[in-house]
Amino acid sequence: GRIPSTVRSINLAGEALKGALVRQLYEQASVERVLNLYGPSEDTTYSTYTAIGRECEGEPTIGRPIANTQVYVLDKGMRVVPVGVAGELYIGGDGLARGYLNRPELSAAKFVPNPYSTMAGARMYRTGDLALYQPDGEIEFLGRLDHQVKVRGFRIELGEIESRLVEHEAVRECIVMAREDAEGDKRLVAYLTVDGESGEAIGVELRAYLKERLPEYMIPSAFVVLERLPLTPNGKVDKRALPEIERGKRGKEEAYVAPRDAVELQLARVWEGVLGVRMLGVKENFFELGGHSMLAVRLMAGVEQQFGLKLPLASLFQGATIEAQAALVRRGRREESPQGSLVNIQPDGTKTPFFFVHPVGGNALCYVSLARHLGQDQPFYAFESQGLHDGEQPLPSEIETMATLYIEAMRAVQAEGPYMLGGWSMGGVVAFEMARQLNEQGQEVAMLALLDSSVAVTGHGPQDASPSMDAASMINFALDLGITPEQLGLVPEEMLERAPEEQLACLLGLAHEAGIITSNIGLSQFEGFLKVYQNNLRAMRSYVPQAARVGRVLLFKAEERQDAYAEDATRGWSQMADGGVEVYTVAGNHFSMLREPHVRTLAEQLGNCLSQARI
């Protein structure tokens, strides 16, 4: 209803304020000012405020702290997070309560010492709310920390996804949930109401919109458009009344095309079993339906069981639809591509292609986020180790041999230079050797991007090449495959007392439990991953590099990394690259620099270098 005509100023608090309500209030002529107030009772109710103007677009922030109040956004270690990064909101200052009456344990848990205050005995209250500081100093509220789920080993704040979705002009309301499929795997599903008649196509548009703002693992695999969100009698969204995913409710890029022959029908059944989604069309994309690298391995195993045909995993990157996979099956043989282990991560674009080499674990999927952030106009290829997904392939035992093989595969895509090469960790070492060999062949290497790579300037030689798989090496093996200690709850001390075989089995079990690896991947296949890791580690340790002029060399160092090159800012590369080395620093450690949010900074720095080079 309408408010009294005498009301000039309106203060709103209690629930997250929606921009639509603000705009509705300003439609009433008497209203001159709308304030958004945030704060818990533990800090005398109001802690931050902001005045929202008539021109309000999107969702309001919660503003800035009131006088004599401090607001911090901290990570799990109670460290201040960078601007634009989400963390838990803490409140300190004169308004803080002493604690909860007769509840000392709860008071101690929620009212904690304030390490950022110079006052003796100062405390701060941990709100349990998720927030971030914007560059202009305004605080953006993202929801409750308990509005958090774990999907495929990643902890995801559903409120952060919802806040990004409602920023889209077509979305009126939304709620994001993690729902289990037929196999028990969790998938993110967005339920929303929209403006206009774009219900069926909105999923494609929103997926592209979110990819520019969120990491890949936070993109919902389904967008369900409803006329209205179901509500409980007290006005809250009734989550139990939200529908299951149906074929007709999913966003899609083009009209549903049913299987057209026996091959497509059998493939559809395999895909449905892996993805847990019914009535798949032959033009739908595996990755946009929630598929990921480990499900891809399971999919290929299902195809082999159904047709007795082993397709290379790389073929899924080059055609991630039932229609494309059916074309390979109909040929009745394994695709023997001249590109070998070269994976086309981002095929389109008009710029000179980037070719990145796998790290010591042999997997190229670590570059997917980097490729996406470099933009759709930047073609991006990556090499995977031979034998990573096919134990019958030989494993090159020397860096020089790898470089020669990869050059051959690369020149099948780009016959002549100038070339752009890169690699993370060991991948940078192989990329350097590729650049050196190309230089000897009279080919130009315009750019070499080394991501936290180091070079042994003297070379260990074959006598030091045998890698010892102790507990620390096992942990590095897991990290290289994308299995983080945080996701696995891995404690090195627990591994030290076990034999290598037991360590590997323990890693596999923890990976299954965390959802990093699907349950159908057994110990023998996991041992194959370790075999590739050991082979590559052995090759790297025995490599003796030779200095060469290889064009523009860029070294992107992880800020948190400590190594033996404390006195050499170039980590040994200045002695190898005759043309000099440009050094850049990226936030994070050796592994997190390629994950959100740090990979965005890395991509921005690398993109700026590419723009300057105009290659």
Side-chain angles (χ1 to χ4, degrees):
R2 296 190 61 84
I3 59 176
S5 60
T6 56
V7 173
R8 299 287 185 267
S9 180
I10 298 178
N11 297 345
L12 297 166
E15 294 288 339
L17 180 59
K18 299 296 184 182
L21 176 57
V22 175
R23 292 185 285 273
Q24 180 182 348
L25 290 172
Y26 273 122
E27 289 175 358
Q28 305 189 48
S30 66
V31 176
E32 297 176 356
R33 186 175 71 157
V34 175
L35 291 177
N36 187 23
L37 302 167
Y38 163 87
S41 299
E42 289 84 349
D43 191 49
T44 58
T45 306
Y46 298 140
S47 307
T48 72
Y49 77 101
T50 185
I52 309 168
R54 292 181 180 274
E55 67 285 354
C56 172
E57 296 181 1
E59 301 304 317
T61 70
I62 59 173
R64 302 168 186 267
I66 65 174
N68 302 313
T69 295
Q70 298 82 46
V71 173
Y72 312 95
V73 179
L74 310 178
D75 63 15
K76 292 182 179 179
M78 294 180 64
R79 297 178 293 266
V80 176
V81 300
V83 171
V85 176
E88 184 174 0
L89 192 150
Y90 288 71
I91 300 173
D94 293 347
L96 212 61
R98 296 178 181 176
Y100 299 102
L101 182 63
N102 298 325
R103 302 193 66 184
E105 292 184 1
L106 180 61
S107 296
K110 301 292 284 186
F111 293 87
V112 298
N114 186 347
Y116 303 103
S117 174
T118 58
M119 297 181 60
R123 295 166 305 135
M124 56 185 180
Y125 172 68
R126 54 184 314 167
T127 65
D129 289 335
L130 185 71
L132 60 80
Y133 265 104
Q134 295 181 345
D136 60 3
E138 296 275 307
I139 302 168
E140 182 178 351
F141 177 80
L142 299 174
R144 292 287 301 168
L145 278 171
D146 53 18
H147 195 37
Q148 184 185 77
V149 297
K150 193 171 185 180
V151 178
R152 297 197 300 272
F154 293 101
R155 293 200 176 276
I156 296 172
E157 309 293 348
L158 299 179
E160 186 172 2
I161 305 173
E162 292 167 353
S163 67
R164 293 292 175 258
L165 277 172
V166 295
E167 291 173 356
H168 191 280
E169 59 183 6
V171 178
R172 292 199 308 269
E173 301 172 294
C174 77
I175 184 169
V176 178
M177 294 182 60
R179 310 207 77 153
E180 288 192 357
D181 59 19
E183 299 294 326
D185 292 329
K186 287 184 179 179
R187 306 287 172 81
L188 294 175
V189 181
Y191 297 90
L192 51 139
T193 62
V194 300
D195 291 320
E197 300 180 358
S198 55
E200 288 293 346
I202 194 66
V204 178
E205 182 178 346
L206 290 177
R207 184 174 286 111
Y209 177 81
L210 290 178
K211 282 183 177 179
E212 297 298 323
R213 293 160 175 81
L214 294 173
E216 194 75 31
Y217 63 84
M218 293 181 72
I219 310 298
S221 60
F223 295 85
V224 181
V225 179
L226 305 172
E227 291 186 8
R228 63 182 62 87
L229 296 180
L231 301 178
T232 63
N234 64 357
K236 301 288 186 179
V237 175
D238 187 355
K239 295 181 180 180
R240 291 178 297 180
L242 291 169
E244 297 290 337
I245 306 173
E246 298 176 10
R247 167 65 238 173
K249 300 277 184 156
R250 288 203 307 265
K252 54 191 178 187
E253 295 190 17
E254 47 192 307
Y256 172 71
V257 178
R260 295 161 293 193
D261 61 21
V263 172
E264 288 184 346
L265 181 61
Q266 292 175 75
L267 275 173
R269 296 295 175 264
V270 175
W271 280 50
E272 289 167 0
V274 171
L275 293 169
V277 180
R278 294 179 298 139
M279 293 183 64
L280 282 175
V282 299
K283 294 184 179 292
E284 298 191 68
N285 187 284
F286 175 80
F287 298 102
E288 292 181 355
L289 290 167
H292 51 85
S293 59
M294 293 307 174
L295 279 182
V297 174
R298 180 177 169 187
L299 177 67
M300 291 311 190
V303 172
E304 182 179 7
Q305 182 179 8
Q306 178 69 44
F307 298 97
L309 184 67
K310 182 179 287 187
L311 297 178
L313 187 65
S315 68
L316 192 61
F317 288 91
Q318 296 159 4
T321 65
I322 293 173
E323 183 180 54
Q325 203 168 58
L328 297 180
V329 172
R330 290 190 196 99
R331 284 200 280 268
R333 60 179 177 81
R334 177 177 176 173
E335 178 98 335
E336 292 293 346
S337 168
Q339 298 176 12
S341 57
L342 187 60
V343 177
N344 193 342
I345 292 179
Q346 188 153 280
D348 301 322
T350 60
K351 299 179 180 178
T352 302
F354 234 134
F355 295 89
F356 267 68
V357 182
H358 58 81
V360 68
N363 200 315
L365 296 180
C366 57
Y367 299 125
V368 170
S369 292
L370 176 62
R372 177 169 61 85
H373 284 302
L374 285 175
Q376 296 182 354
D377 199 37
Q378 177 60 66
F380 197 105
Y381 295 80
F383 296 96
E384 285 194 333
S385 279
Q386 289 186 340
L388 184 66
H389 300 293
D390 182 358
E392 298 178 2
Q393 285 187 309
L395 300 177
S397 60
E398 297 178 341
I399 296 293
E400 293 86 348
T401 305
M402 292 182 199
T404 301
L405 290 171
Y406 297 163
I407 288 173
E408 181 182 356
M410 180 178 67
R411 297 192 71 173
V413 175
Q414 183 185 342
E416 300 292 332
Y419 292 104
M420 297 203 308
L421 307 176
W424 169 51
S425 194
M426 170 193 168
V429 177
V430 181
F432 174 80
E433 175 60 24
M434 291 174 65
R436 190 194 67 78
Q437 291 185 22
L438 286 165
N439 182 257
E440 287 187 346
Q441 297 169 16
Q443 293 291 330
E444 178 187 356
V445 176
M447 183 175 290
L448 174 61
L450 307 169
L451 309 186
D452 213 44
S453 296
S454 299
V455 62
V457 293
T458 57
H460 294 293
Q463 67 275 14
D464 299 320
S466 179
S468 174
M469 292 309 295
D470 55 12
S473 296
M474 282 290 190
I475 293 168
N476 285 331
F477 160 65
L479 290 170
D480 194 89
L481 288 176
I483 307 171
T484 69
E486 181 181 12
Q487 290 168 335
L488 298 176
L490 191 62
V491 180
E493 288 75 10
E494 296 179 0
M495 305 289 284
L496 292 173
E497 301 176 358
R498 300 174 184 258
E501 296 78 11
E502 294 179 277
Q503 293 175 19
L504 191 64
C506 180
L507 272 182
L508 179 61
L510 290 170
H512 284 159
E513 182 180 345
I516 302 300
I517 292 178
T518 54
S519 58
N520 68 298
I521 293 180
L523 188 59
S524 61
Q525 187 169 359
F526 203 57
E527 285 176 339
F529 294 168
L530 179 62
K531 182 179 179 181
V532 170
Y533 176 88
Q534 290 177 301
N535 176 80
N536 290 344
L537 188 61
R538 187 180 302 112
M540 184 170 63
R541 289 183 176 180
S542 64
Y543 176 59
V544 181
Q546 302 177 42
R549 180 172 292 275
V550 295
R552 189 178 180 190
V553 179
L554 313 173
L555 173 62
F556 297 88
K557 299 195 302 182
E559 187 176 38
E560 299 175 17
R561 178 173 176 178
Q562 300 292 328
D563 58 21
Y565 291 98
E567 298 180 359
D568 183 355
T570 71
R571 297 206 168 119
W573 291 110
S574 59
Q575 299 184 43
M576 295 293 104
D578 290 347
V581 179
E582 302 173 33
V583 180
Y584 301 86
T585 302
V586 180
N589 59 37
H590 182 66
F591 297 97
S592 66
M593 67 181 294
L594 276 173
R595 300 196 298 265
E596 301 291 348
H598 306 314
V599 68
R600 300 190 190 196
T601 305
L602 171 61
E604 182 179 351
Q605 291 178 333
L606 182 54
N608 290 337
C609 293
L610 292 173
S611 299
Q612 296 167 8
R614 296 181 181 178
I615 300 172

